[in-house]
Amino acid sequence: MPDTSPPAAALLAAIRAVVGDHGLLTDPADTDPYAQDWRRLYVGHTSAVVRPASTAELADVVRLCARAGVSLVPQGGNTSMVGGATPDADGSQLILSLSRLNRVRDIDPVDMTLTIEAGATLKAAQTAAADAGCLLPLSISSEGSAQIGGVLATNAGGNNTVRYGNARDLVLGLEVVLADGEIWNGLRRLRKDNTGYCLRQLFVGSEGTLGIITAAVLKLAPRPRELAVALCAVPSPDAALDLFTRFQAHDPASVQAFEYMSGQGVQFVIRHIQGAALPLAEPAAHYALIELATPRTNAGLRASLEQVLEGALADGIVSDAAIAESDAQRAAIWRLREEHSEAQKREGASVKNDVSVPVSKVPELIRRATIACEALIPGIRAVPFGHMGDGNIHFNLEQPPGADPAWFLAQDHAIMDTVNDVVRALDGSFSAEHGVGQLKPYMMPDWRGGAELAVMQRIKAALDPRGIMNPGKVLP
Ligand code: MLT
Ligand code: ZN
């Protein structure tokens, strides 16, 4: 069992000797921002934030903590939606910030690989890839802050999963500091490597509970030479799905993102985000955002987009559409989608449900979960949005106007359970891309109990016998 009393002064002194004054924050004014999550749902406490500048330093810190039985909470950009990077309140856990491990170690346009440290932001990684004429095909709303280590530790998904898969599909190699401080250097950049258990995939998605990812080799894709983006007003989620299947049938290789938004969600963005505007004549009840991309030249992507939209307009699948004519217009359309979380936060208290179902069931999920939540709390506002093309909907619920935010948040389990009942009936998952964190471990026995959870617990016990790696996360 990890120690639950505050770390001894002697341990902090030994850590300071490893990372230097600059690498150790102990003043509450400095540490408090690290101890609460982005959504301000979890307010923890820590006596120190440790900021190593190299993998070797980080390994030494883990070794010292392992010997002392002190728990560590790894943290990247602190963008978790499920409290995955927030310590608990008793002050016994140290935060291990990866931010200073942020170098690009190597980029190879022939191998199409990027070797990068965990503390680099996803945006910085994308830029490094683009500078080398390649694409890092992972895009999430928080990419300006989210760091590679956290992105991998949570197996982030995002907007391009429909085409390129999730974070785990982009990882060729990893460097990991294990729970006893040993460094595993698995930074291989091989496309084929069948040599026993695939350890890197064990750490991807483990949310820092098995070891700390310090660097990764990521697979790059060819840079798109043509892009086409449209925002469509659609009469229903079923129409949005119909539109998706039309694009897939027309040219499946070109669909890079297919996102759904409700009229309510877009209204919140326009209300709360300065400069956000609807590029259509009238607001609609539902929207689809389509991005087509191809590395081919003269591929006629724009004509292809217009052709599918013309058919959809003629058939009443789409009632209006705006096609981006410039990078600025493309960014403005994406902004309506990417500011959803921020706008919901400003509108009031919200309960998030990051769920997935088979793509074909998305309209049914939206319909049934909306009815069920409205029956549970009259006046509640359903704000479903997200990655329709891969079946991942953020079925978020906003408090009734004027209701007490604390009263609303106190009903989070009832709301999540109501949505999850529908998700289960549709063969879905209670966590699609945000992970389990400290918000959802209570769901694990019900959803993953039996052999699956037992194997996870055995793995945890084998790799982290003292239970010092991000305790309280993932496993109940
Ligand atoms: C997104 O796709 O914007 C996020 O995963 C956010 C969310 O659920 O709020
Ligand atoms: Zn998302």
Side-chain angles (χ1 to χ4, degrees), residues 38-39 81 139-142 158-159 259 337-342 344 352-354 385-387 392-396 433-434:
W38 176 84
R39 298 176 64 196
M81 297 286 190
S139 169
I140 61 178
S141 300
S142 57
N159 306 331
E259 300 280 312
R337 165 62 188 85
E338 288 181 336
E339 293 287 2
H340 259 61
S341 287
E342 184 60 37
Q344 282 170 36
K352 287 180 187 289
N353 292 278
D354 165 45
F385 69 97
H387 320 293
N392 171 199
I393 291 297
H394 301 302
F395 198 89
N396 296 357
E433 61 171 6
H434 294 170

Side-chain angles (χ1 to χ4, degrees), residues 13-24:
I15 291 174
R16 190 184 297 278
V18 172
V19 298
D21 287 341
H22 191 53
L24 188 69

